[in-house]
Amino acid sequence: MDLSNWRGAPRPERVTLQGKYVRLEPLSEATHGADLFSAAVEPGADDRFRYLPNTTPPDYPTFADWLQKSEASIDPMFFAVIDMRTGRAEGRQALMRIDADNGVAEVGHILWCPGIARSRVPTEAIFLMAQYIFDELGYRRFEWKCDNQNLPSKRAAERFGFVFEGIFRNHLVVKGKNRDTAWFAMTEEDWKLVKPAYLAWLDPENFDSNGQQRSKLGTAATRS
């Protein structure tokens, strides 16, 4: 691949990404704080925070402090995940480790709360972010990393079309414990192959009246 004319890509901006089922908005404590706190502390919170760098918030002031710091951050750049059915913020995710010179970014700090679990929302939230990175900004690579013990995250990465690339042993110390990191990525070439599968899966005709899928997301099959 000849990249002699490559001059880098623009840095992501705090934009709103609108889909059919979800809207990604730049994170705001004033706008999203109450909804996000309520969603974050629903039953099972400790399991959802297990592999995240922060812990289950004990109270709103503590959570608001984290939100305000995250709102001001440009890397990671946080987005609230808004369920279009309810208009409520039901999660968050971030673009991080942004390397505009080489056209690489990672999705991380993902927290999808019970209100959107096992729904169309998380899938479209990843689709919107990948579409922004590849189609609008012209990036070459989009990464997903997680604790190697986090089996649900690894399964999700593969379902979303990210390719497993290996294990980085003794990669991080998180909450006083070693983290071996499972490394996944989607290249611009991968995106061209998996994007049609996303579009087909997200089509309203693929869901029944209860929002249940008729066909599974076929990103792996499409790429092969």
Side-chain angles (χ1 to χ4, degrees), residues 129-156:
M129 204 162 258
Q131 181 173 248
Y132 178 55
I133 283 294
F134 287 118
D135 294 350
E136 296 191 38
L137 299 182
Y139 275 52
R140 304 175 57 244
R141 176 179 169 89
F142 193 34
E143 296 178 338
W144 176 298
K145 305 185 186 82
C146 62
D147 192 307
N148 191 45
Q149 296 183 0
N150 189 347
L151 297 181
S153 183
K154 293 197 292 184
R155 287 195 294 266

Side-chain angles (χ1 to χ4, degrees), residues 45-195:
D46 288 345
D47 284 338
R48 292 192 295 277
F49 277 88
R50 178 178 302 172
Y51 295 108
L52 291 170
N54 55 321
T55 59
T56 306
D59 50 50
Y60 186 78
T62 302
F63 187 61
D65 182 65
W66 179 88
L67 278 174
Q68 289 163 9
K69 292 176 181 176
S70 299
E71 178 180 347
S73 172
I74 60 172
D75 190 351
M77 181 180 289
F78 283 89
F79 293 79
V81 179
I82 312 298
D83 185 349
M84 293 296 294
R85 295 174 307 154
T86 64
R88 290 173 52 85
E90 295 283 0
R92 88 220 183 181
Q93 58 195 59
L95 288 171
M96 58 187 288
R97 302 187 187 279
I98 300 163
D99 180 356
D101 288 343
N102 292 294
V104 180
E106 176 183 344
V107 58
H109 290 278
I110 295 172
L111 179 65
W112 296 325
C113 298
I116 56 174
R118 292 177 295 279
S119 75
R120 294 170 282 193
V121 170
T123 299
E124 190 174 42
I126 292 297
F127 170 79
L128 290 174
M129 204 162 258
Q131 181 173 248
Y132 178 55
I133 283 294
F134 287 118
D135 294 350
E136 296 191 38
L137 299 182
Y139 275 52
R140 304 175 57 244
R141 176 179 169 89
F142 193 34
E143 296 178 338
W144 176 298
K145 305 185 186 82
C146 62
D147 192 307
N148 191 45
Q149 296 183 0
N150 189 347
L151 297 181
S153 183
K154 293 197 292 184
R155 287 195 294 266
E158 291 179 337
R159 176 179 176 272
F160 293 141
F162 292 83
V163 178
F164 176 67
E165 295 184 331
I167 306 295
F168 280 45
R169 298 174 298 162
N170 290 5
H171 179 224
L172 298 171
V173 178
V174 180
K175 296 176 180 175
K177 296 181 180 180
N178 173 64
R179 179 176 122 165
D180 294 340
T181 298
W183 210 277
F184 297 81
M186 183 188 300
T187 66
E188 58 183 330
E189 294 82 8
D190 295 329
W191 174 243
K192 291 174 184 177
L193 294 174
V194 303
K195 181 180 178 180

Side-chain angles (χ1 to χ4, degrees), residues 33-49:
D35 284 350
L36 275 179
F37 178 73
S38 177
V41 299
E42 287 189 32
D46 288 345
D47 284 338
R48 292 192 295 277
F49 277 88

